[in-house]
Amino acid sequence: MAQRKIIHVDCDCFYAAVEMRDDPSLREVPLAVGGEGGRGVVTTCNYKARAFGVRSAMPGGEARRLCPGLVTVPTDMARYRAVSKQVMAILRELTDLVEPLSLDEAYLDVSEVSDHKGSATLMAQHLRQRVKDEVGITISAGVAPNKFLAKIASDWKKPDGLFVIRPEDVDGFVRDLKVEKLFGVGQVTAGRLHALGAGTCGDLQNIPADVLLEKFGKQGYRLREMAYGRDDRDVVVSRIAKSVSVERTFSQDLPDKRACESVMASLVADLNLRLTRKSARKPIHKLFIKIRYSDFSTHTLERVREQIREPAMEDYQPLLDELVSNAERPVRLLGLGVRFRSDESPVMQLRLFD
């Protein structure tokens, strides 16, 4: 089987990041989301608060003792969900193989993606830049041959970091990795591993498999696999792709509508390429077009077009004509897409190339 390429992305102090984005005065102070009042618990805090020892799940009273200047704001889940949706939509433009773990983190399997020269590192850089530009928060990313290592990598250079573990680096990387970093190893398990003489994965590799099985049961097998940097879990997709789109941000603004028309043909070709990657073409329900002007204002337009099988340039021209009222306005981003007819029964989408 070809070498897998997995990216794990994790939004930095997510709820706090959204609050700081929406109220810039909060960027300069130690901030906790949640934890106000006598019995509140801190949900997330920013890095200024973490410097005082404040942590998520800590009672608000304790957090204020550690950090007397702590500012607290109430949680606003509807707002965080909306921002999460924006982030996940950006991830899904790169690949359908996205497995969200929570509102603020997800795995992507990009093994078959040819965009960005097929380089998972370039893909991760692209995603981080887009989230920063379009959503206004930072994400950290880890790139590795499997889920276990990608998740460790995304934490390696937090916040706002990118860390890559190449296949040839795996052995050297895990040998020095502390056992506390392993998934499912808390204080108790770490203590038991230390008692066996294992402080790092390198030490853990030297403990016979039968000893680990005897001491830890089924978890012993998993510990041994992780100690060698092995993990064969797939990225699990449990949502139906409702749309497919392509977009391009131009390093120099397109000067006018005519310039947009000149790049549309290649965008339509990219879109059809992405559509053929789907295991089966679903019935198209709508076409949509998206434009971001040089002043960053963004406009979209969609129209029902159910008879179209393979979208062509002339199918998008009427949408462009309708959306662009000022033909001389410089354009920073242009995107095209299709929405599929909704089918209410959810389907597990399997990897194409297993």
Side-chain angles (χ1 to χ4, degrees):
M1 188 175 158
Q3 181 63 64
R4 289 201 301 165
K5 300 176 194 172
I6 307 293
I7 302 175
H8 179 261
V9 300
D10 194 359
C11 303
D12 300 313
C13 58
F14 179 53
Y15 300 172
V18 175
E19 296 295 345
M20 291 188 292
R21 179 197 73 173
D22 294 348
D23 179 354
S25 71
L26 297 174
R27 291 173 198 168
E28 308 310 319
V29 297
L31 171 71
V33 177
E36 63 274 23
R39 307 183 69 128
V41 170
V42 172
T43 313
T44 313
C45 56
N46 67 1
Y47 286 89
K48 279 191 164 65
R50 287 177 199 195
F52 287 89
V54 179
R55 293 283 174 271
S56 55
M58 181 181 274
E62 190 183 339
R64 280 185 288 279
R65 268 198 306 281
L66 289 170
C67 177
L70 188 68
V71 175
T72 56
V73 296
T75 51
D76 182 349
M77 290 311 296
R79 196 154 39 113
Y80 311 146
R81 267 196 293 272
V83 175
S84 169
K85 216 167 166 183
Q86 257 183 301
V87 173
M88 296 298 168
I90 289 171
L91 304 184
R92 288 191 176 105
E93 279 181 34
L94 182 66
T95 175
D96 286 337
L97 296 175
V98 176
E99 177 184 345
L101 300 177
S102 60
L103 288 182
D104 61 340
E105 61 173 322
Y107 288 114
L108 295 81
D109 186 332
V110 296
S111 312
E112 310 291 347
V113 177
S114 55
D115 304 8
H116 308 284
K117 303 178 188 162
S119 159
T121 304
L122 293 178
M123 293 177 216
Q125 285 170 343
H126 164 79
L127 293 173
R128 293 182 62 242
Q129 194 60 52
R130 276 197 61 192
V131 171
K132 192 179 270 183
D133 292 347
E134 295 175 33
V135 186
I137 62 172
T138 62
I139 62 174
S140 293
V143 177
N146 61 47
K147 286 166 92 168
F148 154 61
L149 289 171
K151 188 163 167 72
I152 285 177
S154 69
D155 199 41
W156 211 250
K157 292 200 168 169
K158 258 189 172 291
D160 196 14
L162 168 62
F163 189 67
V164 179
I165 304 172
R166 296 171 307 175
E168 59 269 29
D169 302 335
V170 170
D171 291 342
F173 179 81
V174 290
R175 207 168 295 131
D176 299 328
L177 190 66
K178 288 188 165 34
V179 293
E180 283 82 355
K181 289 278 186 190
L182 299 182
F183 178 70
V185 174
Q187 256 180 318
V188 175
T189 306
R192 291 170 67 196
L193 287 168
H194 289 171
L196 291 172
T200 65
C201 286
D203 302 330
L204 188 49
Q205 291 174 11
N206 295 325
I207 299 175
D210 53 351
V211 173
L212 288 173
L213 283 167
E214 183 198 327
K215 299 270 185 196
F216 297 98
K218 214 187 298 179
Q219 193 195 7
Y221 171 76
R222 183 106 174 82
L223 286 169
R224 188 168 172 79
E225 288 291 285
M226 288 191 289
Y228 284 98
R230 296 192 289 249
D231 177 14
D232 57 6
R233 292 173 302 152
D234 284 327
V235 168
V236 179
V237 181
S238 56
R239 98 189 247 296
I240 311 159
K242 294 177 182 167
S243 64
V244 173
S245 62
V246 292
E247 58 180 49
R248 214 167 285 165
T249 305
F250 305 100
S251 47
Q252 282 187 299
D253 293 342
L254 297 178
D256 52 23
K257 181 182 168 188
R258 182 173 292 164
C260 290
E261 289 168 346
S262 69
V263 298
M264 266 172 73
S266 74
L267 273 172
V268 171
D270 285 353
L271 178 67
N272 277 304
L273 187 67
R274 195 160 277 193
L275 281 167
T276 53
R277 282 191 206 147
K278 304 278 169 205
S279 48
R281 282 201 180 231
K282 301 176 187 163
I284 289 172
H285 176 49
K286 290 178 175 177
L287 302 186
F288 63 90
I289 190 164
K290 171 180 173 182
I291 286 182
R292 177 166 300 135
Y293 291 108
S294 54
D295 63 358
F296 282 91
S297 64
T298 306
H299 303 265
T300 56
L301 177 76
E302 54 182 65
R303 288 287 175 260
V304 175
R305 295 284 186 273
E306 296 212 316
Q307 73 289 2
I308 291 170
R309 292 278 305 146
E310 192 167 310
M313 169 79 182
E314 52 270 23
D315 297 317
Y316 281 100
Q317 186 69 49
L319 276 76
L320 185 73
D321 294 341
E322 192 177 343
L323 186 61
V324 176
S325 50
N326 176 358
E328 305 304 312
R329 203 170 165 188
V331 168
R332 179 184 173 82
L333 173 150
L334 184 61
L336 310 173
V338 304
R339 295 198 198 287
F340 301 120
R341 210 169 32 242
S342 132
D343 199 355
E344 293 313 325
S345 53
V347 182
M348 284 291 279
Q349 183 177 330
L350 302 174
R351 294 195 60 211
L352 283 176
F353 299 98
D354 272 349

